[in-house]
Amino acid sequence: MPKTIIVSNRLPTKVLRTDAGLTFQPSEGGLATGLGSIYRHEGNAWVGWPGLFLEDAAEEQYITEALRADSMAPVFLTESEIQDYYEGFSNSTLWPTFHYFPQFATYEAAHWAAYVAVNEKFCAAVLAQAGPEDTIWVHDYQLLLLPAMLRAARPDCTIGFFLHIPFPSYELIRVLPWRAELLHGMLGADLIGFHTFGYMRHFLSAVAHLLGFPAQNGLIETPTRTVLVDAFPMGIDYERYAEAAASAAAQAHEAVYRQALGAGRVVLSIDRLDYTKGIAQRLLAFEQLLVRYPEWVGQVSLIMVVVPSRDQVPQYAALKQEIDELVGRLNARYRTIDWSPIHYFYRSFPFDELASLYRLAEVALVTPLRDGMNLVAKEFVASKADGRGVLILSERAGAARELSDALVINPTDLDALVEALHQALVMPAEEQAQRLDAMRALVRRYNVFSWTKLFMNQLTYSKIKQHMLATDMLSPAATDELVAAYRAAPQRLLLLDYDGTLAPFHPNPQRAEPDQELRLLLRALTEDPRNRVVVISGRDRATLARWLGDLPLDFIAEHGVWLRPAGEEWQLFQTLKNDWMRELRPVLDLYVARTAGSFVETKDYSLVWHFRRADAELGAVRARELLAHLNFMTSNTDLQVLEGNKVLEIKNAGINKGAAASRWLAQFPADFVLAIGDDRTDEDTFRALPPAAYTIRVGSGARSLARFHLAGVADVRALLRRLL
Ligand code: GDG
């Protein structure tokens, strides 16, 4: 039975050292609840740090065994690992960068080294639990490298990754010295999930810009695999919050609070101490409310819970001081004997007291500057069974994508915040109910359990999709079989594409000339009298002749327009026209004018628009536009538009590599046929060949008619060397 392993920085149980010995404190976090039914299931496990530093080996054994009984496998970290990997790289490099605070980010090589090392440590811990067929779900920014590490060790595992914080614009990611490694790390997964479509879009854009991997419909094609990317807005355990708020305990707590507060109105704010949460801005807005609407003085209080967090880090300590001062100033200025504007708590509350605060508050002020999702907003909504209450929500929290019935504000717009507060306090009951009802239905439906289920289902689907799309990699066994068939054949035909197959791409196509290794390899192949070696390319015949014409090779140029058997002259495949170029050339020139870095190549019977050197995203957009434009202009003509690797090519219909390959095979019958190519134009060759031919597509997990895949040029050359 395949297992499921959950991995996150922290385990859902915290181990504490107390006077009474070690104690185990289960977490009440949303993730622990949502995944509870998975990791506790027979044979499954949750891998993570238990939150304390070991004193001796006996302790390690005791904790490991105690946690194992509850389906958990601890990864023990040292103090210096926590300092450099967690407080260092995770919280001082990734956290500020991903939340759009690059000015707070540090770039320490030692922190990076620790991050790599701890991700490896997690990898080893997971491998100790996971078999080759298992499903592994990795969580959050502390473990961005883990998916690729796991993939390397267990190529067939199903691996999911979910990021709980925002994924920022490419403009921020590109600042990180280790950006490419981080993206490669994530791409080890089969499915990568984000809270919002916006984060997903940023990720696709970063992958396109920094790694050059194309994506379509959320599927990224890496050289070896297809990776699915999708948005999964995380929810909460709705019933738990609804029930807790309605419970007798919560009502009792509320009564106590009420008595202390009198008839005053209550605005609530709850966060972990963090500069991303906009806590200071919120206090300033509350102060302005009292200035602009003095009728609220003595009437409204802000209950502000700030849960201590990371306060050893200088920015957090400074923030704490700023909040302390602001609260002090406000209270000193406005407080009366029986009323305080701010009730400030720098500590965390037990769950049932939290529930009573949600119950008590009429307005929730959730105004982060950046927040991946923000569960407090959803918890407040779930707690309001009576339909009274107003949520003020920052447009920069992931939750705002769903909770559009909140008063959605820009948290840096102080004016908007003040007005929203006032509007919330005077909002008619009917409108409150209307907004809350809509939001409650949504939070109830898209809860943490449906989130988990959806992610797991998509993960299974991503694997099926991969199998559907993927052609098998050319395995060592298949290679042996291919080599044996080659050796046994008295006549062999090798059809080899050039760019991306025999030679790597160069930003300037004219610079992709063959190197010495390739020339020697091709020469050696042609020296065997049983071989016909055909270079079958989209390139113009002059370039092919200049680069390789001195070798006894056969050539098919311009995708089959020109043919030249070794030792003969160039001949046309059939009579062709090129008078259409006059009309279409200006269209291509227009796209060159609009797309820096692109250019037009003119061949004898075709026109090519190249966009390899253009901005990756702009190039792809313009290519789609141009394709539509050309399809319109060439309908009812004898022309076709081919999509190649970062090129669009217009040529006469009926001419393609497949037609040329067929003619070759008819003219030079062979017992062994091998065709290798890397782009869509090579699919015509694969299609034209008999089923027994060995057809190989180079690169991505793209859908292909070929029987096998190879990752890149180096593998192609290695295979050809094996034939010698
Ligand atoms: C990260 C992302 C994303 C708060 N005070 C108390 C208390 N809490 C609980 C809340 C809520 C949780 O802590 C906070 O969750 P958030 O989502 O608001 O924020 P982060 O901790 O920063 O979490 C965030 C989340 O991951 C999930 O993907 O939404 O954007 O930053 O559940 O109720 N709980 C108790 N006492 C408190 O005083 N018991």
Side-chain angles (χ1 to χ4, degrees), residues 164 195 270 272 277 307 348-349 371-375 379:
H164 289 263
H195 281 305
I270 299 184
R272 236 176 359 83
K277 301 285 184 182
V307 178
S348 79
F349 281 73
D371 213 335
M373 170 52 71
N374 194 295
L375 300 178
E379 292 164 7

Side-chain angles (χ1 to χ4, degrees), residues 630-637:
L630 290 173
N631 279 337
F632 174 73
M633 290 190 72
T634 57
S635 59
N636 302 321
T637 68

Side-chain angles (χ1 to χ4, degrees), residues 505-520:
F505 286 104
H506 192 283
N508 178 349
Q510 283 310 316
R511 297 283 313 283
E513 60 272 275
D515 52 34
Q516 192 59 12
E517 179 192 73
L518 177 60
R519 292 181 51 84
L520 289 174

Side-chain angles (χ1 to χ4, degrees), residues 28-31 95 99 140-141 162-166 195 199 234 236 241 270-272 274 276-277 305-307 310 347-352 354 357-358 366 370-377 379 398 451:
E28 289 168 343
L31 194 61
W95 179 272
H99 285 89
D140 228 0
Y141 65 104
F162 188 83
L163 186 71
H164 289 263
I165 65 175
H195 281 305
Y199 306 156
M234 187 176 163
I236 60 163
Y241 283 89
I270 299 184
D271 311 270
R272 236 176 359 83
D274 206 293
T276 60
K277 301 285 184 182
V305 178
V306 177
V307 178
R310 307 177 195 174
R347 59 185 163 87
S348 79
F349 281 73
F351 178 73
D352 55 340
L354 187 78
L357 285 177
Y358 282 140
V366 182
R370 293 282 169 183
D371 213 335
M373 170 52 71
N374 194 295
L375 300 178
V376 168
E379 292 164 7
W451 175 78

